[in-house]
Amino acid sequence: MRSHSTQIPESSKLSWMLLPTKKNTDAVQSTTDVLTKAGYIHQSQSGIYTLMPLAQRVVTKITQIITEEMERVGGQRMSMPSLLDPEAWKKTGRLKSTGSELLTLTDRKVAQHILAPTHEEEVTGIVKSMVRSYRQYPLRLFQVTQKFRDETRPRAGLLRAREFIMKDMYSFDVDQQSAISTFHAVEQAYRACFDRLGVPYIVADADSGNIGGKLSKEFHFVSAAGEDTVLTCKCGYAANEERAQGRGAQGVHVYSMVGDEDRSVVVPAMRRPNMLKIKQAWPDCGELTLERKMGEEVTDLRRRIALAGSSGAHKYLVDSAVNGLEIDRIEDIKVAQVGDWHTAQSGDACTKCSTGTLESQTAIEVGHIFYLGDKYSDALDLLVQHDGKWLPVQMGCYGIGVSRVLQAAAECSSSSRGLRWPVSIAPYLATLVPLNGNMEHATSVFATLSNICVDNVRVFADNVIVDDRSYLSPGFKLNDAQLLGIPITVVLGQKFKQSGHVEVQLRVPRLELGTCVAGVDVTGDGYEYKAFVHVDRLAEFLVCALEGQF
């Protein structure tokens, strides 16, 4: 039977929590396995997961951070339906372009619905039906809700799932200048979000993909588990591999379009043509396949491009990084479009500074922001009368994968020894583990922890969990404490009975401590720190050890 206590709430006792932990091992295992063994997630079917109580607390904290920062830039939270009418998607062309990733269903009246992967069309229709004057702009509307995608091969747990939680915000402005100002304001809000989440991140120039638009940036956590490649330079430049610009090898490679011999792409030697960039230049080319032409020389190529300019029969995309082609002259030839058409790679010279080289990093995309322009407002006839003219409203959209952040943070900070959550999003800040008959003293230590204040805020309130599971061995409890990744473990062991000292274990990503904190000796290996602290000095020790973490 469970005993009721008015001193430690049941919600703060592990005995009342659905926590199906499994024995951890030192064997190499994926973060998805660790999250499952730690009782954070449960796989219901391929690509679909239940978030267990601890994971839900992490999601709640991530959502709270995001909500606060979105509201600081004027965001208004709302909730749109998950079932969408496909008619608007037909008008924007996305019903066809999204393809098989779109999950659809048919109801009993044979009406078709889309299970929403995103809400650009829906929110545009809402604003069109409600806004009557330019005086009602700007608008910044956001939600945190379930999304759906028919992944061909779901993988990596919450990183590539068929159902996921996402924050999406949509902005509406009367002109381009205002919309771009909004884009940059939201970018700063995103930086504030990720600063608070406590995981190192990269902001990279990016391709807009099927969402569309003319300007976009991605936010990445660096991790070997990622599927994106980001190229960075010490000067601060960063871009997704699809958009990165760099200068590489000498020489030239020429590629001709299969099925259209009158189009060629000229790139630096040993560099691949970038299909995304080429499709943006030639949107009418359909299925794009290129074939390299052998034996090309720069001199002959320069002459042929000049001749093509006279006849107009052949079109060229000429990469500005190719040496020896006299780019200044080629830019005057109408059939030749000079630009960045190759895929940069690690070791290329950075085009943004004169001394740096690009370095490749594998990363997980956790956020993406877009300046959309009039892609959706024009297609759905959302117009505004301003300065005597009726023009499409200028839009932007801004997404953060909330459930994706959960797993990505775990990927970046954890190991086979268990999880390690950043302080800002940990499900609890501290777990209290009474051993050797010390459960009767847990209430007073729980109160000490719960009342710790930082800047006059009780940061530990509702953030302490007590392992009161009397049916488990001390070893299992301590193993769970490490597996769960809660930043602070306070153990009431034999020393507590003898002298009032508790053992404090700190597992906080990127925490660096010396051998003495607040007059207390500390040992550790960088991954975990331990100290024996008298209970009367516990609050002082934790505030000093975790300075700057709250």
Side-chain angles (χ1 to χ4, degrees):
M1 293 289 292
R2 290 171 172 165
S3 60
H4 292 266
S5 171
T6 58
Q7 296 174 303
I8 300 177
E10 276 72 20
S11 60
S12 296
K13 296 178 180 179
L14 280 180
S15 63
W16 283 73
M17 184 178 293
L18 181 57
L19 185 64
T21 58
K22 301 175 183 178
K23 186 176 180 180
N24 198 23
T25 67
D26 290 331
V28 176
Q29 51 194 331
S30 70
T31 302
T32 303
D33 291 336
V34 177
L35 285 168
T36 302
K37 288 182 177 181
Y40 281 82
I41 61 175
H42 170 75
Q43 184 171 2
S44 300
Q45 52 183 295
S46 178
I48 299 177
Y49 289 84
T50 295
L51 298 181
M52 303 301 287
L54 284 181
Q56 187 57 52
R57 285 184 64 95
V58 176
V59 164
T60 298
K61 290 189 175 185
I62 294 170
T63 302
Q64 182 63 30
I65 289 171
I66 293 170
T67 297
E68 289 173 2
E69 296 303 333
M70 293 305 99
E71 289 178 345
R72 282 194 178 98
V73 289
Q76 303 172 69
R77 188 167 177 177
M78 60 191 301
S79 181
M80 290 180 276
S82 293
L83 288 177
L84 304 180
D85 186 345
E87 289 304 312
W89 284 63
K90 291 178 182 177
K91 292 180 181 179
T92 61
R94 287 213 298 169
L95 189 65
K96 180 179 179 180
S97 64
T98 305
S100 58
E101 284 193 353
L102 205 60
L103 273 168
T104 59
L105 58 86
T106 303
D107 65 19
R108 67 180 68 189
K109 297 179 181 179
V110 200
Q112 189 182 31
H113 304 274
I114 294 170
L115 275 171
T118 182
H119 280 82
E120 283 80 6
E121 287 84 356
E122 184 71 15
V123 74
T124 302
I126 291 169
V127 172
K128 179 182 176 181
S129 69
M130 294 184 175
V131 177
R132 295 288 178 263
S133 168
Y134 74 90
R135 295 183 179 89
Q136 294 173 268
Y137 294 105
L139 286 173
R140 297 170 185 177
L141 308 172
F142 78 98
Q143 62 176 353
V144 181
T145 187
Q146 305 291 116
K147 306 284 188 181
F148 303 88
R149 183 189 296 118
D150 194 1
E151 287 283 356
T152 303
R153 189 170 64 88
R155 55 200 178 276
L158 303 178
L159 294 184
R160 186 64 71 176
R162 302 178 73 198
E163 180 180 358
F164 50 96
I165 303 171
M166 186 173 177
K167 187 286 301 181
D168 45 327
M169 184 161 86
Y170 305 92
S171 63
F172 300 83
D173 287 277
V174 296
D175 55 39
Q176 183 182 47
Q177 182 179 355
S178 300
I180 292 177
S181 294
T182 294
F183 177 90
H184 292 305
V186 178
E187 179 187 346
Q188 293 307 309
Y190 265 50
R191 290 178 184 269
C193 281
F194 287 106
D195 286 343
R196 290 178 63 185
L197 289 174
V199 181
Y201 64 95
I202 295 173
V203 184
D205 294 342
D207 181 74
S208 296
N210 189 50
I211 296 290
K214 305 168 184 177
L215 174 65
S216 75
K217 291 189 176 183
E218 292 171 345
F219 290 75
H220 294 267
F221 291 165
V222 176
S223 169
E227 296 182 331
D228 286 279
T229 300
V230 178
L231 294 172
T232 62
C233 176
K234 62 183 181 181
C235 71
Y237 173 71
N240 190 298
E241 184 182 40
E242 299 165 344
R243 285 291 305 274
Q245 299 180 10
R247 295 186 179 275
Q250 301 291 320
V252 63
H253 282 171
V254 180
Y255 291 81
S256 292
M257 186 181 299
V258 174
D260 187 351
E261 293 297 323
D262 290 332
R263 299 196 197 201
S264 296
V265 181
V266 182
V267 297
M270 311 304 294
R271 296 295 180 268
R272 294 178 289 110
N274 188 305
M275 297 302 186
L276 282 172
K277 297 174 183 177
I278 294 167
K279 284 182 178 180
Q280 290 173 354
W282 289 338
D284 61 331
C285 64
E287 196 67 32
L288 180 61
T289 305
L290 298 176
E291 183 178 67
R292 186 184 161 196
K293 296 177 69 175
M294 306 302 291
E296 289 286 354
E297 296 291 339
V298 170
T299 304
D300 293 338
L301 179 61
R302 188 167 59 237
R303 184 170 56 252
R304 279 206 312 279
I305 293 175
L307 290 173
S310 302
S311 64
H314 201 107
K315 295 181 179 179
Y316 287 91
L317 295 180
V318 181
D319 199 296
S320 58
V322 175
N323 293 314
L325 273 181
E326 298 179 1
I327 294 297
D328 292 343
R329 293 186 182 183
I330 289 175
E331 286 178 329
D332 295 330
I333 301 174
K334 292 182 180 180
V335 297
Q337 188 172 343
V338 176
D340 175 47
W341 311 116
H342 73 282
T343 300
Q345 63 186 47
S346 182
D348 283 358
C350 177
T351 60
K352 301 299 180 181
C353 68
S354 58
T355 58
T357 57
L358 300 181
E359 295 183 5
S360 175
Q361 300 188 68
T362 304
I364 302 170
E365 181 189 338
V366 287
H368 204 152
I369 60 176
F370 305 82
Y371 161 55
L372 298 172
D374 60 6
K375 174 180 170 67
Y376 296 92
S377 55
D378 187 42
L380 299 174
D381 202 30
L382 172 59
L383 306 177
V384 60
Q385 187 178 28
H386 187 52
D387 291 336
K389 298 179 182 178
W390 285 95
L391 295 171
V393 172
Q394 296 293 301
M395 292 176 56
C397 69
Y398 316 87
I400 293 178
V402 176
S403 52
R404 193 175 175 89
V405 166
L406 183 155
Q407 175 139 357
E411 294 281 1
C412 293
S413 305
S414 306
S415 73
S416 60
R417 294 164 67 175
L419 299 165
R420 286 195 309 166
W421 295 107
V423 167
S424 61
I425 61 173
Y428 294 90
L429 289 179
T431 178
L432 181 59
V433 186
L435 304 176
N436 304 318
N438 279 313
M439 188 61 207
E440 62 184 277
H441 301 289
T443 300
S444 62
V445 180
F446 176 85
T448 297
L449 288 168
S450 298
N451 288 315
I452 292 176
C453 287
V454 176
D455 296 330
N456 297 318
V457 177
R458 292 174 62 231
V459 293
F460 282 77
D462 190 36
N463 263 311
V464 181
I465 191 78
V466 179
D467 194 345
D468 63 330
R469 296 173 295 176
S470 58
Y471 51 87
L472 293 180
S473 68
F476 200 103
K477 288 183 178 183
L478 293 173
N479 181 72
D480 266 10
Q482 185 173 65
L483 179 62
L484 295 177
I486 294 171
I488 303 163
T489 299
V490 178
V491 183
L492 307 186
Q494 193 63 34
K495 281 196 172 185
F496 182 77
K497 277 188 172 183
Q498 295 170 351
S499 61
H501 283 76
V502 298
E503 181 182 357
V504 178
Q505 302 172 1
L506 301 175
R507 302 181 190 93
V508 180
R510 291 164 296 282
L511 179 66
E512 296 182 4
L513 296 180
T515 57
C516 183
V517 174
V520 176
D521 292 336
V522 176
T523 60
D525 57 5
Y527 183 91
E528 176 184 71
Y529 294 95
K530 294 183 180 181
F532 285 95
V533 185
H534 194 277
V535 67
D536 292 341
R537 300 194 60 201
L538 180 58
E540 177 191 1
F541 173 79
L542 290 176
V543 170
C544 290
L546 299 177
E547 185 179 3
Q549 294 286 332
F550 300 107

